[in-house]
Amino acid sequence: MTPEEMAPEATPTAPMEEPAPEAAPREPVPWEDADLSRLQSLGRTLRQSLFYPRSFFQDFPREGWQEALAFALIVGTAGFLACLYWQLLFYLGISRLLGSMSAASKVFFLAGSGAFMTMMLLSPVIVLGSLIFSSLGLWLAVGLTGGPWPGFTVVWRLTCYAQGAMVLGVLPLLGGPVAGLWNLFLLYRGVQGGLGLSSWRALGVLCLSLVLQTLLLLLLLGSLWGLRLFSG
């Protein structure tokens, strides 16, 4: 036998499988990018969230709540104060007519001005409360409409970054309604892109969340009222 015939036959080896490519890491939100200045990160985040909301919410990271909360408090409080400012100017313009008004009308307008000043002082607390109610309502609505319950952090983040719409509060008089409507649109895009829901389900989630927020608010007010009656 020849040496070639005496050599053991080589067993065929299975082809090596190539490792599956790892998912590309998500790009950080400009507001959370440490390489940018605060002014640059604020401007880029507002531009992306306001004008390209679907891609913004589809690509943003799902973890971390502190930076998102800081963004929401800064932009939300500034926009809320701007809305109150224009409304206060409206009240001051009407106050020139107080000389020809009855005493009851004067008391009404003075009380309204005092309420505006109180809301200005409490604006960060009001914005924080709005974020909590909105996030809870949205989180519950997503879970109640079927499918797996999402993590609360991602819902919190998209709710916070949807506060970018409050920058529209600088528009004279109409800034409040415009900012509120655009905030709802950003929440819709956030639920659609960030949670991967269909258009109709995202719309249903948004509508249900508004109902749940109203119920939560009524429950809170009823509890406070009952506690006051019980303590009195």
Side-chain angles (χ1 to χ4, degrees):
M1 298 178 65
T2 61
E4 289 78 2
E5 295 176 344
M6 295 178 61
E9 295 183 357
T11 58
T13 58
M16 297 181 61
E17 296 183 357
E18 296 183 359
E22 297 182 358
R26 299 178 183 270
E27 294 184 1
V29 177
W31 175 254
E32 303 173 7
D33 193 345
D35 296 332
L36 299 175
S37 65
R38 276 306 178 193
L39 188 59
Q40 287 179 321
S41 61
L42 178 62
R44 292 186 182 183
T45 303
L46 287 175
R47 180 176 63 85
Q48 293 181 14
S49 61
L50 290 176
F51 300 108
Y52 310 100
R54 186 167 187 176
S55 61
F56 174 80
F57 288 110
Q58 189 172 2
D59 297 334
F60 82 149
R62 268 55 173 170
E63 300 298 330
W65 60 271
Q66 298 95 332
E67 291 292 333
L69 175 60
F71 174 85
L73 287 178
I74 293 173
V75 179
T77 302
F80 185 69
L81 287 175
C83 295
L84 291 178
Y85 171 75
W86 291 116
Q87 294 297 323
L88 184 60
L89 286 184
F90 178 74
Y91 261 81
L92 292 176
I94 296 180
S95 65
R96 296 181 179 180
L97 304 175
L98 286 177
S100 59
M101 288 183 175
S102 62
S105 298
K106 292 180 181 180
V107 172
F108 173 77
F109 280 102
L110 290 176
S113 300
F116 274 119
M117 297 304 297
T118 303
M119 292 175 68
M120 284 183 174
L121 293 175
L122 297 178
S123 55
V125 179
I126 295 174
V127 171
L128 179 60
S130 174
L131 288 172
I132 294 174
F133 273 94
S134 181
S135 299
L136 282 175
L138 203 60
W139 180 69
L140 290 172
V142 173
L144 291 175
T145 53
W149 286 78
F152 185 76
T153 303
V154 63
V155 177
W156 173 262
R157 284 175 60 83
L158 69 87
T159 304
C160 288
Y161 281 110
Q163 283 290 305
M166 290 302 297
V167 75
L168 300 175
V170 300
L171 299 176
L173 297 181
L174 296 178
V178 172
L181 291 175
W182 201 254
N183 176 256
L184 291 177
F185 176 73
L186 292 185
L187 287 174
Y188 167 76
R189 284 303 192 188
V191 171
Q192 187 182 31
L195 301 181
L197 303 184
S198 64
S199 300
W200 285 108
R201 187 184 174 193
L203 184 60
V205 165
L206 186 60
C207 294
L208 180 59
S209 70
L210 294 177
V211 175
L212 292 175
Q213 290 175 50
T214 304
L215 293 178
L216 288 173
L217 181 59
L218 292 176
L219 179 62
L220 176 61
L221 294 177
S223 300
L224 294 176
W225 182 257
L227 182 62
R228 180 181 178 183
L229 293 177
F230 181 78
S231 60

